Amino acid sequence: QLQLVESGGGLVQPGGSLILSCAASGYTLDYYAIGWFRQAPGKEREGVSFISSSGGSTHYADSVKGRFTVSRDNIENTVYLRMNSLKPEDTAVYYCAAGFAPPHDDRIRVFTTEDWYDSWGQGTQVTVSS
């Protein structure tokens, strides 16, 4: 069974940076697209960033475009989310999720669909505050 563990969250001042990691075990990530989602208190979970299994296709929510960068290291079986220029409205629990997708599958529209994912991590808290 594929298991995902997020790490790297914490408290950061506005304008600061964090790098979140999503480490997988149980299966190699070579055949999984990864999505990063977040949920702020009192709000619905929303998609933040998505990356195909090959890493060749990525997608970002408008709210984070230009500030967040998703990448993956399939040898390390880890996906990263680098977050720069953080704002208080980025405060949320961040989750990574995995869905089976062969390397040639670049259906970003599918990858942005929360219900498509079948493996989820436990989340890591990101708090942006002065």
Side-chain angles (χ1 to χ4, degrees):
Q1 183 178 356
L2 178 65
Q3 294 185 323
L4 304 173
V5 177
E6 303 93 337
S7 62
L11 174 65
V12 63
Q13 292 186 342
S17 298
L18 283 174
I19 300 176
L20 303 184
S21 298
C22 173
S25 62
Y27 285 92
T28 175
L29 281 183
D30 290 12
Y31 287 83
Y32 288 88
I34 300 294
W36 283 99
F37 296 82
R38 67 185 181 186
Q39 188 167 22
K43 294 187 177 181
E44 293 187 353
R45 190 159 56 188
E46 63 174 351
V48 174
S49 181
F50 311 90
I51 186 167
S52 62
S53 57
S54 69
S57 295
T58 58
H59 181 78
Y60 300 91
D62 289 342
S63 58
V64 307
K65 200 170 294 184
R67 300 187 298 121
F68 290 13
T69 303
V70 62
S71 62
R72 63 191 299 153
D73 185 336
N74 285 352
I75 295 176
E76 295 294 328
N77 232 25
T78 302
V79 176
Y80 303 96
L81 184 67
R82 181 175 187 87
M83 307 185 296
N84 294 331
S85 303
L86 282 162
K87 305 175 182 180
E89 50 264 44
D90 294 319
T91 295
V93 177
Y94 283 72
Y95 302 88
C96 65
F100 182 80
H104 62 270
D105 190 344
D106 285 336
R107 296 176 297 157
I108 284 293
R109 181 170 295 183
V110 171
F111 303 156
T112 60
T113 306
E114 183 176 336
D115 290 345
W116 179 76
Y117 293 90
D118 49 24
S119 297
W120 290 79
Q122 84 290 346
T124 185
Q125 176 71 47
V126 172
T127 302
V128 184
S129 174
S130 55

